Amino acid sequence: MSATGADPADVLIDDEKIVAVLEPGSSIAQAAAASAEIIDATGKYVIPGGVDVHTHMEVPFGATTSSDTFETGTIAAAWGGTTTIVDFATQTYGRQVRECLDEWHGKAEGNCAIDYGFHMIIGDVNNDSLREMDKLVDEGITSFKLFMAYPGVYLSDDRQILQAMQSCSNNGGLIMMHAENGIAIDLLAEQAAARGETDPINHGLVRRHELESEATHRAIKLAKVGAAPLYIVHLSASGALEEVARARNNGANVFAETCPQYLYLTLEDHLGAPGFEGAKYVCSTPLRSKHEHHQADLWTGLRTNDLSVVATDHCPFCFKDQKDAGVDDFRDIPNGIGGVEHRMDLIYQGVVTGEISIARWVELCSTTPARMFGLYPQKGTIQPGADADIVLYDPNASWSISVDNHHMNMDYSAYEGFAISGKVDTVMSRGEVIIANDQFHGASGRGKYIARGLTQYLM
Ligand code: URP
Ligand code: ZN
Ligand code: ZN
């Protein structure tokens, strides 16, 4: 199974690489089988390992840190059929890019169970950061996330955004944008808190979808002026999608990702759950209202390619002792939802319900993220020369997601009780079986750092 469709095939692997994709029963396949170890994939889809290009392992948020380490988070990813992550090394305001990147290498090196790369969050765009970005592109960190939200922590103003875009126009880097108007949001949040509206649902009510569309629009226009390609992260709302679609229709190099939480969870049912339960679903951009048509529009965007990638924005926090920091004020709830383990399964449900084709599932979850972030054809495809990162997916299995069966370091699941048709059966990472027979056979530390190339969507 590939991004272009299904064909019965025998895949020949030598050591870490795919060396041939053969017609089953052909004389070469028979000759190869005589001396090879055989994994029988009859009745299963054989797909390239998932590529999740949006994770935050061990990232500080306020006074706490996301609860998955590179070890626990990459093991959980492997269970869910993801064999590569691209995590966000994070520069916070006032710190040097290089110092922060070194810190992220230190956290990840020797701990990952699957291969990994980094984007760099530039939380302080200044002349030093801009110089460092040029060097990072040469070192395989070829994408940079900027924030239009979180004033005083990460926010870049329009001047800084334009400067970073101009740099990427020259160095080939890809700007990834957190597109929400954080200055307006912070005002609305202060006003809500002053009125005593402190429950988790207010997180979503103040982060209005108009403020996502406005920022998306502004980012697109700045990218045009800066002559740089743009990738919008965690797009959640119809209006923002319209902005992306309009830009793309006009021929702009604008791309966007969405995440499973925006396709399945809602403001009312999840963020608005009784008591403090809604804190489990606090993330930014926020979950959107079920009374509007965001989810249907996002599925349409996934079909039309106005949304090119599904990533998780995996940023887990435990309910007890982490999310509860905001029990008196939604502004103190750490922002993020964990989901690195369930992306392949959740998006496969779109195949089951007829929202997307099976080839599109592979394209959204593996092939396009690999191409978008300079990992292809090492990752994201089953073809000679590619890493043997392969998932056998059983379309006939059924099960339910639960905190009791997941492997993420979280004390709850945002998808508790979700019925899943299909299941990851076997996972190979660079030719090694790391998941089989409901057991993890890999090891933390076997995952390698990947220096990425430039985005291949412009070539
Ligand atoms: O709530 C979220 N998304 N937390 C992670 C940081 C980000 O903005 O992606
Ligand atoms: Zn973000
Ligand atoms: Zn994120």
Side-chain angles (χ1 to χ4, degrees):
M1 176 61 58
S2 76
T4 53
D7 270 320
D10 286 343
V11 180
L12 188 62
I13 295 167
D14 185 18
D15 196 16
E16 299 194 344
K17 297 281 183 190
I18 295 165
V19 290
V21 179
L22 303 166
E23 197 182 317
S26 65
S27 54
I28 322 178
Q30 280 173 359
S35 58
E37 182 193 336
I38 294 173
I39 299 175
D40 184 3
T42 307
K44 312 212 168 67
Y45 295 124
V46 180
I47 61 171
V51 179
D52 188 346
V53 293
H54 194 150
T55 69
H56 302 274
M57 309 299 176
E58 302 181 40
V59 69
F61 193 102
T64 193
T65 300
S66 61
S67 57
D68 264 318
T69 61
F70 278 90
E71 178 178 13
T72 61
T74 55
I75 291 173
W79 275 100
T82 286
T83 50
T84 309
I85 60 164
V86 186
D87 197 85
F88 285 88
T90 302
Q91 179 210 24
T92 39
Y93 187 76
R95 294 189 69 198
Q96 296 289 320
V97 169
R98 181 62 58 176
E99 172 199 358
C100 298
L101 175 60
D102 289 348
E103 201 181 300
W104 251 258
H105 274 299
K107 294 185 207 212
E109 204 178 330
N111 291 317
C112 293
I114 56 171
D115 292 351
Y116 65 99
F118 290 131
H119 316 282
M120 190 85 218
I121 286 176
I122 306 292
D124 190 357
V125 178
N126 56 39
N127 288 340
D128 284 346
S129 308
L130 292 167
R131 267 192 299 276
E132 209 61 54
M133 283 165 69
D134 288 341
K135 292 190 201 146
L136 260 47
V137 168
D138 295 335
E139 294 172 25
I141 294 173
T142 54
S143 39
F144 304 96
K145 184 177 175 191
L146 303 179
F147 285 80
M148 300 168 101
Y150 304 117
V153 187
Y154 291 124
L155 182 140
S156 292
D157 64 23
D158 291 351
R159 176 192 170 93
Q160 291 172 308
I161 291 170
L162 188 53
Q163 282 179 308
M165 287 171 166
Q166 287 169 335
S167 283
C168 283
S169 178
N170 289 324
N171 66 27
L174 181 60
I175 294 289
M176 308 171 77
M177 189 62 78
H178 180 127
E180 285 188 295
N181 183 329
I183 292 182
I185 286 169
D186 276 14
L187 172 67
L188 296 181
E190 271 169 38
Q191 291 170 339
R195 289 193 300 270
E197 294 162 8
T198 55
D199 288 347
I201 194 168
N202 291 290
H203 172 84
L205 295 175
V206 302
R207 300 186 94 90
R208 293 178 56 139
H209 63 78
E210 293 88 344
L211 300 177
E212 185 181 354
S213 327
E214 183 277 327
T216 305
H217 178 84
R218 187 157 36 103
I220 289 169
K221 294 299 177 195
L222 289 169
K224 167 104 176 152
V225 174
L230 175 68
Y231 177 96
I232 305 286
V233 293
H234 48 54
L235 189 148
S236 69
S238 306
L241 179 59
E242 276 167 29
E243 297 293 342
V244 169
R246 186 177 312 118
R248 290 173 60 81
N249 289 343
N250 290 334
N253 286 318
V254 172
F255 309 97
E257 81 182 10
T258 193
C259 313
Q261 52 269 35
Y262 306 117
L263 296 164
Y264 291 107
L265 308 177
T266 67
L267 178 96
E268 293 82 6
D269 294 343
H270 298 93
L271 202 49
F276 189 60
E277 281 290 295
K280 294 177 175 175
Y281 307 96
V282 165
C283 61
S284 299
T285 54
L287 304 183
R288 298 299 179 190
S289 173
K290 67 178 179 185
H291 302 303
E292 295 157 352
H293 40 90
H294 305 287
Q295 290 189 345
D297 289 346
L298 294 182
W299 281 112
T300 302
L302 290 174
R303 283 196 295 278
T304 61
N305 206 34
D306 288 326
L307 294 169
S308 315
V309 169
V310 178
T312 56
D313 194 5
H314 176 76
C315 191
F317 297 99
C318 289
F319 187 53
K320 189 171 165 309
D321 296 337
Q322 291 196 290
K323 290 282 188 179
D324 62 9
V327 74
D328 295 324
D329 186 337
F330 69 92
R331 292 176 296 175
D332 297 328
I333 301 169
N335 286 201
I337 287 185
V340 76
E341 188 167 346
H342 298 311
R343 182 183 61 126
M344 303 298 284
D345 289 313
L346 287 166
I347 303 309
Y348 183 72
Q349 303 319 294
V351 178
V352 174
T353 57
E355 293 283 0
I356 54 171
S357 70
I358 189 156
R360 185 69 180 148
W361 172 55
V362 174
E363 195 170 31
L364 289 165
C365 293
S366 181
T367 310
T368 298
R371 287 188 64 202
M372 188 68 72
F373 292 100
L375 291 162
Y376 185 92
Q378 182 182 354
K379 305 293 185 188
T381 181
I382 297 179
Q383 68 179 61
D387 283 354
D389 287 6
I390 294 178
V391 172
L392 273 52
Y393 197 80
D394 180 356
N396 297 314
S398 50
W399 59 291
S400 295
I401 296 177
S402 172
V403 64
D404 298 328
N405 60 26
H406 79 196
H407 302 85
M408 298 177 288
N409 185 32
M410 291 173 73
D411 61 358
Y412 74 97
S413 170
Y415 303 98
E416 186 68 38
F418 269 52
I420 300 293
S421 299
K423 191 170 188 290
V424 170
D425 177 273
T426 302
V427 179
M428 299 178 82
S429 165
R430 277 183 284 101
E432 187 182 337
V433 173
I434 58 171
I435 301 284
N437 304 317
D438 283 321
Q439 296 215 327
F440 176 65
H441 299 280
S444 47
R446 61 166 300 289
K448 287 187 183 160
Y449 171 71
I450 307 177
R452 295 179 295 113
L454 299 181
T455 178
Q456 290 151 306
Y457 254 77
L458 304 173
M459 296 171 200

